Amino acid sequence: MPMLQVSILEGRTPEQKEELIARLTATITGTLSVKPESVRVLIQEMPKTNWGIAGQSVAKRDGGK
């Protein structure tokens, strides 16, 4: 049973996350020759204050947006 864990910044719409799940599932089923029912996708949304790039949080880099 393939399981993918994806970490993304908060702010994506439910529709975007549904599309991500569908596309990742399609990629795994095609690559590993498994049934879609066996694929699990876990999306972890991270607050911008908890994600750092080059020594700053994304929230600070974005100016608090």
Side-chain angles (χ1 to χ4, degrees):
M1 173 183 348
M3 181 176 166
L4 281 76
Q5 291 182 298
V6 180
S7 297
I8 60 174
L9 286 171
E10 64 186 354
R12 285 9 184 261
T13 66
E15 294 81 13
Q16 288 173 315
K17 291 182 270 186
E18 286 291 339
E19 184 174 350
L20 178 61
I21 291 168
R23 288 181 181 221
L24 290 172
T25 299
T27 298
I28 292 299
T29 58
T31 304
L32 300 180
S33 300
V34 296
K35 294 180 181 180
E37 296 80 19
S38 70
V39 178
R40 305 291 186 263
V41 177
L42 172 63
I43 297 175
Q44 296 175 303
E45 287 189 284
M46 304 296 292
K48 291 181 179 184
T49 55
N50 292 7
W51 193 298
I53 300 172
Q56 293 182 327
S57 71
V58 173
K60 186 172 183 178
R61 290 172 59 101
D62 286 354
K65 297 177 189 174

